Amino acid sequence: MTVLGLIKSIIFAPQKNDNDEENKGLTPFHIHPHKEWHRYIGTPLLELLTFVMDKLTKEQRHRCMAAIRGKDTKPEITVRKFLFSRGFRYRLNHPRLPGHPDIVMRKYRTCIFVNGCFWHGHEGCRYYVLPKTNTEFWKAKIERNKARDIEEQHQLAAMGWHCITVWECQLKPAVREQTLESLAHTLNSIFLNDRSIKRYSLPEEETMMAAEPDNKL
C-alpha cells in the first residue's frame, strides 16, 4: 500500500464504537468523510502525513514509514525525465561514490541529490515540520541525516565532483520549470568551465650575461 493509500484508509476508516468488542484494536483516529475530509483537500502530502503520524499507533507508524521509497521517488523521476529530454545522460545511485548520489553525470563530473524536504531537514521550508510526538527522536534523526549529507558532499568534492542538491519543494508545479531550467544552465556552465582552455604565461627568463674573456696579458 502506498503512503497516500494508507493515509486515506486511516482517514476513511469507519467510526469506532469503544463498546464494540469487534472494533477493539482499530485505529483511534477517525474523520467522518462527509463532514471533515474537505478540510484536508489540497493539503501537501508531507504536511498531511505529519499530521496523521501524530495520531497513529506505533505499528501503524512503522507500516507508513516502511512504505516510503528511498529511490525512484516522484521528484527523482521528474528530474531524470527532464534531463533525458534535454540530451543529458547519467547513471543512477552509483555504488562506488559516497552517498550513492541519485543521479551521476560523469561527463559533467556532477552528482545530483534530489532530497525530500522533511527527511533531509530543509530549513525554512513549509514541508519540514517535525511531528508533535516523539519530537526529540525525529529531530536527532534528521540532524544525523543532515550531517551525513554534508560529509558525503565534502568527500565527493575532494574527489573532484560537483554536487547539486534539488529540493522536493523546488519541484512543485509553480516553480518546477524554473528549477529545471536553472539545473540545465548550471550543468552547461560546469561543462564549459571545466573544459575551458587555460592560457599560461611563461615567466620571463633572466638574461644571462657572459663575461668577455680578458685578452690582455
Side-chain angles (χ1 to χ4, degrees):
M1 180 183 293
T2 64
V3 177
L4 184 57
L6 179 58
I7 291 175
K8 287 182 177 180
S9 69
I10 294 169
I11 292 179
F12 285 114
Q15 294 293 326
K16 177 184 176 181
N17 182 356
D18 293 332
N19 296 324
D20 189 348
E21 292 294 332
E22 294 182 358
N23 287 329
K24 285 187 176 181
L26 294 179
T27 171
F29 176 55
H30 304 282
I31 297 178
H32 194 282
H34 301 296
K35 292 184 178 181
E36 298 187 41
W37 173 245
H38 68 277
R39 294 168 47 193
Y40 303 94
I41 294 177
T43 303
L45 178 58
L46 264 181
E47 186 176 327
L48 182 59
L49 178 60
T50 302
F51 172 74
V52 172
M53 283 298 174
D54 291 334
K55 307 295 182 179
L56 299 181
T57 64
K58 183 177 179 180
E59 292 75 14
Q60 290 166 339
R61 187 180 294 111
H62 175 74
R63 285 176 54 205
C64 198
M65 290 303 176
I68 297 176
R69 293 183 178 182
K71 58 182 180 179
D72 294 332
T73 62
K74 185 176 179 180
E76 288 180 29
I77 293 174
T78 298
V79 174
R80 280 153 43 181
K81 285 184 176 180
F82 170 80
L83 292 174
F84 194 87
S85 70
R86 291 300 183 89
F88 295 101
R89 296 298 178 260
Y90 47 80
R91 292 188 63 181
L92 304 178
N93 307 108
H94 199 298
R96 295 185 180 180
L97 291 178
H100 300 172
D102 299 312
I103 299 172
V104 177
M105 309 180 74
R106 188 171 183 178
K107 179 179 178 180
Y108 300 83
R109 295 296 295 174
T110 297
C111 297
I112 300 176
F113 294 87
V114 184
N115 287 348
C117 297
F118 175 77
W119 296 108
H120 295 267
H122 190 194
E123 295 294 342
C125 176
R126 62 177 294 191
Y127 302 104
Y128 174 40
V129 181
L130 290 173
K132 295 179 181 179
T133 58
N134 212 7
T135 303
E136 291 303 317
F137 166 81
W138 288 110
K139 183 177 180 180
K141 180 178 178 63
I142 292 173
E143 287 299 325
R144 290 195 300 271
N145 289 347
K146 292 168 66 175
R148 186 181 65 245
D149 291 344
I150 293 173
E151 176 60 26
E152 289 169 350
Q153 293 198 17
H154 282 171
Q155 293 177 16
L156 288 167
M159 296 167 64
W161 290 89
H162 302 279
C163 295
I164 299 176
T165 298
V166 179
W167 292 99
E168 176 189 9
C169 63
Q170 295 173 331
L171 295 172
K172 298 300 180 183
V175 294
R176 181 183 302 158
E177 183 177 357
Q178 179 182 351
T179 299
L180 295 175
E181 291 294 342
S182 296
L183 176 60
H185 176 77
T186 301
L187 290 171
N188 288 325
S189 297
I190 289 173
F191 181 80
L192 292 175
N193 290 335
D194 284 357
R195 287 157 179 78
S196 60
I197 299 176
K198 298 180 180 179
R199 301 181 183 276
Y200 296 95
S201 58
L202 296 175
E204 294 183 2
E205 295 182 0
E206 297 182 1
T207 304
M208 301 298 294
M209 300 297 292
E212 294 182 1
D214 189 357
N215 295 325
K216 295 179 180 181
L217 297 174

